[in-house]
Amino acid sequence: GSAHAPPDSGSTSASAIEATAVQPAPGVSGTGAGVRAVVIFAYNRPEYLERAMRSVLAHMPKDGSHVCVVSQDGADPAVAAVVGRVGGAQTVHLRHTRTELSIPPNQKRFAGYYYLSTHYKWALGELFDVRGYESVIILEDDIEIAPDFFDYFGAMAPLLERDTSLLTVSAFADNGQPGLVHDPAAVYRSDFFPGLGWLMTRALWAELGPKWPLAFWDDWLREPANRRGRASIRPEVSRTYTYGVKGVSSGQFSNFLKNMQLAQGGADWASFDVRTLTKAEYDQAFRAKVAAARESTVEALPAKAEPEPSACIERRVPYSSHKEFERLAKALGLMSELKAGVPRTGYEGVVTFRRNGCLVYLAPSYPINPETHSIVIDEHLQPPK
C-alpha cells in the first residue's frame, strides 16, 4: 500500500487545503464518458510518484481513450510539483482534503490504512460519480507498469461485461518470481483478488462504493460477503512491479516483490481469445488439466534448472490440509499466506506455477468450501475417515 501516515499533530496545512477544481482532461469535455481513467494514488513520496507517472505516461495510449489521474492526499508541495512537472496537460490532478480521522485507540498503529481507504473512497467517487469515467485502473505511487499493460487491459476488460462471475482484471501475478513463471501470454482466473494494478468498473463501484470500508480495503474486498464468489483475471507474468519499500505496509513483502519479473512483451493481446477465460469454458478445461496431471511430491519434482523437455509433463502436488498447503508452498518458494482462507493465485484451491517452464498444480486432495473456495475446513466438521 501507499505511505499514508496520519497527519502531523499540530499541522493544519493538510486539513486546511481545499480540493481544487481541475480542468477536464483533454478530449473529455467535462465528462469522462467513454474514457478509462488510470489513477495513481499519492501522498508523501515524490520520488516514487515520479517513477510511477513516467512509467504510465510512457505507455498510455495517446488516442484520447485514457487519461492519467494523480489523486494526491493532502498538500505535500513536493508531490504537487511532480504532478505539474511530469504530468503537464495530459494529467488530471485531484487533491483530497486530509482531515483528522477518529481512529479507535487499538487501531492507532494502523492509522495509515484508514487514511488510505478514506482517500480511495473520495477519489473513486470523484472519478465515477462526478466526472463520469467509464472505468478506472487503480495504481499506487510505488508501481511501474509493463510496456503492454494497456494492451492487456484492452483485451481483458470486455470479459467483465460478458462474465458476471468475474470481479476484476488485475495486472499483478502474486507468485511472479522468475523461476515460477514462464509464459508471458498465459492468463488465469483466480479466487484471490490480487490488487496492485486492477480495473474497477462503474458497476463494481456502484456496488462497493456505498459500503466502502474505513480501512484495509483490499482484505475487505477478499471477504466472502464482498467478493461474493467472483474470480479475478490475472497474468502468469506480472504487468506491474512494485518498488515500495517505505509505506503503510512498510515493505512487508519487499524481499519477495523485489525479485518479481515484469513482462517485457511476448504476448499478442490483440488476437487473444478471451472466450477461453469465461467461466464455463475455463473451468472445464482447467479441471481436466489438473485431473490429468501426473501426481508428484515436492521432492520428486524435477530439480530447478534441469533442461526443459520439448514436451512438458504437467504435474500435480496434492495437499491434504491448509497447514500442509502452507508448508509445501514455503518449500516451493510460493506465497504461503491465506486471506479469507484463499491462497494467493488460487483457483478452486489450486495454485498453478511453473517448474523449469512446465506447469505444476499445488492442489487440494480434500473437498474445500464449495462457495468461497476457502481451503480452511473446520476439522471437527470433517466426516470421520
Side-chain angles (χ1 to χ4, degrees):
S2 283
H4 286 244
D8 306 327
S9 48
S11 132
T12 53
S13 62
S15 50
I17 183 168
E18 291 306 313
T20 50
V22 181
Q23 287 303 305
V28 175
S29 66
T31 156
V35 176
R36 180 170 295 151
V38 188
V39 62
I40 304 170
F41 284 91
Y43 168 47
N44 66 353
R45 304 187 289 190
E47 308 81 14
Y48 278 18
L49 176 61
E50 177 160 348
R51 182 172 170 183
M53 285 181 70
R54 289 197 184 281
S55 172
V56 168
L57 292 170
H59 302 303
M60 192 171 81
K62 307 289 189 278
D63 58 5
S65 60
H66 291 69
V67 62
C68 177
V69 177
V70 177
S71 188
Q72 178 183 358
D73 202 12
D76 186 326
V79 169
V82 167
V83 181
R85 182 164 52 81
V86 179
Q90 49 177 339
T91 300
V92 173
H93 185 185
L94 300 184
R95 297 164 188 261
H96 177 233
T97 306
R98 228 174 136 86
T99 49
E100 196 81 51
L101 298 177
S102 56
I103 294 166
N106 65 342
Q107 295 289 301
K108 284 281 195 259
R109 69 184 189 281
F110 300 123
Y113 292 102
Y114 284 78
Y115 284 94
L116 182 58
S117 202
T118 301
H119 182 193
Y120 262 68
K121 180 170 187 172
W122 175 83
L124 292 170
E126 181 72 19
L127 294 172
F128 283 113
D129 306 333
V130 179
R131 289 158 192 263
Y133 288 108
E134 209 59 34
S135 56
V136 176
I137 297 175
I138 295 171
L139 294 167
E140 292 185 7
D141 61 359
D142 57 359
I143 292 174
E144 67 189 350
I145 66 170
D148 65 355
F149 176 90
F150 289 100
D151 297 328
Y152 167 76
F153 276 106
M156 299 301 149
L159 268 170
L160 294 178
E161 305 298 318
R162 175 186 293 185
D163 186 348
T164 55
S165 72
L166 289 172
L167 180 71
T168 185
V169 173
S170 172
F172 187 67
D174 277 286
N175 287 313
Q177 303 280 63
L180 299 171
V181 297
H182 178 71
D183 182 0
V187 184
Y188 301 83
R189 294 174 68 100
S190 175
D191 296 313
F192 191 92
F193 164 71
L196 292 173
W198 60 286
L199 185 67
M200 167 84 83
T201 58
R202 171 173 287 285
L204 188 59
W205 175 245
E207 174 194 331
L208 299 178
K211 58 176 184 172
W212 194 258
L214 296 173
F216 306 108
W217 64 265
D218 47 353
D219 284 344
W220 170 85
L221 188 45
R222 292 167 181 141
E223 288 169 10
N226 303 314
R227 184 169 75 82
R228 291 174 38 207
R230 289 170 292 189
S232 298
I233 295 292
R234 59 105 185 164
E236 176 166 322
V237 183
S238 197
R239 262 63 188 181
T240 48
Y241 176 83
T242 175
Y243 45 85
V245 179
K246 52 177 206 244
V248 167
S249 346
S250 55
Q252 61 184 115
F253 301 124
S254 59
N255 284 345
F256 192 84
L257 294 174
K258 199 162 61 209
N259 301 321
M260 292 288 273
Q261 185 172 321
L262 185 64
Q264 300 296 332
D268 175 9
W269 296 122
S271 63
F272 187 95
D273 182 6
V274 294
R275 283 172 308 186
T276 58
L277 291 169
T278 52
K279 183 170 173 59
E281 195 163 321
Y282 185 94
D283 287 3
Q284 187 178 358
F286 173 77
R287 290 167 187 162
K289 283 177 67 129
V290 174
R294 179 184 294 178
E295 192 167 318
S296 177
T297 61
V298 170
E299 298 72 31
L301 289 176
K304 284 186 187 133
E306 274 184 11
E308 187 188 326
S310 51
C312 269
I313 295 167
E314 299 190 358
R315 291 178 165 82
R316 182 180 70 254
V317 176
Y319 65 86
S320 58
S321 69
H322 72 276
K323 288 276 184 268
E324 188 178 24
F325 167 81
E326 288 171 13
R327 187 173 61 72
L328 295 177
K330 284 196 179 89
L332 291 161
L334 301 164
M335 294 286 250
S336 60
E337 62 158 3
L338 309 175
K339 300 274 188 180
V342 176
R344 286 181 184 269
T345 76
Y347 191 62
E348 300 189 338
V350 180
V351 169
T352 303
F353 65 99
R354 302 266 180 178
R355 171 66 67 94
N356 297 335
C358 297
L359 286 167
V360 183
Y361 307 101
L362 183 55
S365 59
Y366 59 99
I368 62 169
N369 184 305
E371 273 81 49
T372 66
H373 295 165
S374 164
I375 68 169
V376 182
I377 303 296
D378 292 331
E379 264 70 30
H380 65 272
L381 298 179
Q382 287 285 327
K385 287 265 189 301

